[in-house]
Amino acid sequence: FVSEYGFMSLPSYSVYSSFVDEEDLENPLEMLKFRTRHQFGLAQMFEQMQMHFWKFQCNHSVSSLLQQISGQNLPSFIYLSQLQQALIYEAATVRWRREMAPNSTMGILYWQLNDVWAGTSWSSINADLSWKMLHSSLRNYFSPFSIMVDVTYGGSATGVSTIHFYASNHKLHSTQVNVEISLIPYSAQRESDRKVIFAKNITAGSQGYMSLH
């Protein structure tokens, strides 16, 4: 049983703006540091962003990037921290759901549900009870029936990545559904740019998962 896992993100901008002085929002770094009680919390978030988001993939050190946080780009930083958090929880949850077996993972519990104050934390719900991006996405990959995606990144030798799709059914009975999987490029401008790669009526057995594509 996985009893605790997670990654930090910042509270939503609306939470900060409801009580933080305007001058602290215009120059927010010291305020963010004060409200981040994990010693390396901000640095860890930025390190992950450098790996996964092109906006931060540069030669600057994490400390110099932190110095660039301003009132103008704070909302973007908050958005990316919450997007990153949701993607990290999804990657872990999907993996453990696929490994459900008597001798493997039989349960998972993420940390944490809510905040008691507005600060950098592992929560999915803000201190004012509004939802972070994570809490919205949890409904999908913790639902009894879910379509899951697993990406295997190619090594330096091939550089080829593969994407696998699975149906996970944790209901006590089999489930019949119509499944359609489409690829939509970022450059898409019309419906015809969407490419259907899988369309089929499937029957997913109870308490397990099946490979789709």
Side-chain angles (χ1 to χ4, degrees), residues 60-76:
H60 296 299
S61 65
V62 170
S63 59
S64 65
L65 285 173
L66 286 172
Q67 296 298 325
Q68 296 178 29
I69 299 177
S70 66
Q72 186 175 5
N73 61 27
L74 178 60
S76 296

Side-chain angles (χ1 to χ4, degrees), residues 143-177:
S143 64
F145 181 86
S146 178
I147 302 297
M148 304 183 301
V149 181
D150 180 52
V151 180
T152 302
Y153 294 98
S156 58
T158 63
V160 177
S161 299
T162 57
I163 303 176
H164 300 279
F165 298 91
Y166 301 88
S168 176
N169 181 28
H170 284 187
K171 297 180 180 180
L172 297 178
H173 55 80
S174 60
T175 301
Q176 188 173 28
V177 294

Side-chain angles (χ1 to χ4, degrees), residues 7 10 17 20 22-23 27 31 34-35 37 46 48 54-55 57 92 109-110 118 124 127 136 138 141 143 171 181 183:
F7 196 82
L10 294 173
S17 61
V20 174
E22 186 174 345
E23 62 185 76
N27 299 283
M31 180 271 293
F34 175 75
R35 291 184 168 272
R37 296 310 171 92
F46 248 123
Q48 288 292 317
W54 67 267
K55 181 180 178 65
Q57 290 175 354
L109 182 66
Y110 78 91
S124 64
S136 297
L138 285 170
Y141 45 83
S143 64
K171 297 180 180 180
I181 301 172
L183 295 181

Side-chain angles (χ1 to χ4, degrees), residues 111-122:
W111 181 266
Q112 67 198 67
L113 179 63
N114 65 304
D115 281 331
V116 295
W117 81 319
T120 309
S121 80
W122 299 263

